[in-house]
Amino acid sequence: GNATATFRISVLDKYQSVQHTKKSTRNFFRLDDISSWGWKDFYPRDQILNQSTNMLDDNGTLAIVVSIKKDNTSPFVPNNPMSGLITSMFLDEETADVCFEVSTADVHDVDDGDEEAPSPVTFHAHRLILKTCAPMLASLFGSDDEEIVKVSINDVKPAIFRHLLHYVYGGSVEEGELNTHAKDIINGADKYSIVNLKLEAEAAYVKSTKITMDNAMDKLLYADALNLALLKEI
């Protein structure tokens, strides 16, 4: 650990009058850190030895007074670990009781010429956390508490859904991802009523959007359809 203290060091003459004082505040990171601390020119030696200054007593002793004041720092209080514990449950298959299978409607060609939809991406989750933090997602599973229930989602890209679910578990979306996928995140967060994430994504979208004569009407219609107050203001 470390400690912060304020030092006041005074030199007294033989009559106990203060002749010189220096003050300093220092943060000590180690117990032996004090050995390297001090002033090279604290008080001139010739002044101490000069009898006319009366610095030394009859025994040739110099009086020094050191006072130390401990700074009033706030006591260490650990952060509440609960949010971290919830975040650590994100995608925890062992404790999950519901499961999302997320895919898009996109298809791609395979070697024989047929078209094939991409395989869904699986996201395990917890009914209680969804009920508390994302009720609309929780409502997709009904009221069956007996076994793990699977729900298919095909209107949000898997990468975007991961951001939505991670946010529900107390996580955050990195700024770069937020800026790159702002509109997709807005659409997904709006659909599943993850309001705060929608606001964050909207702020990022507004910051990166330039309104022109060509796109003004489209932006206004989009803002009106999803109730994007920030976008309407620019």
Side-chain angles (χ1 to χ4, degrees), residues 85-162:
L85 291 175
I86 294 175
T87 304
S88 69
M89 296 173 66
F90 176 59
L91 302 183
D92 184 1
E93 183 175 351
E94 184 176 347
T95 60
D97 53 8
V98 294
C99 178
F100 297 97
E101 293 184 338
V102 184
S103 60
T104 62
D106 298 334
V107 296
H108 59 271
D109 293 333
V110 293
D111 293 339
D112 59 4
D114 295 330
E115 293 184 334
E116 180 181 89
S119 300
V121 179
T122 299
F123 297 91
H124 289 85
H126 304 79
R127 191 187 301 268
L128 178 60
I129 294 176
L130 296 178
K131 283 182 177 179
T132 305
C133 304
M136 188 165 291
L137 284 176
S139 68
L140 299 177
F141 295 97
S143 58
D144 185 4
D145 296 327
E146 297 296 326
E147 58 184 14
I148 291 183
V149 182
K150 295 183 179 181
V151 167
S152 296
I153 291 179
N154 56 21
D155 52 5
V156 178
K157 298 175 183 176
I160 301 303
F161 188 82
R162 181 185 176 91

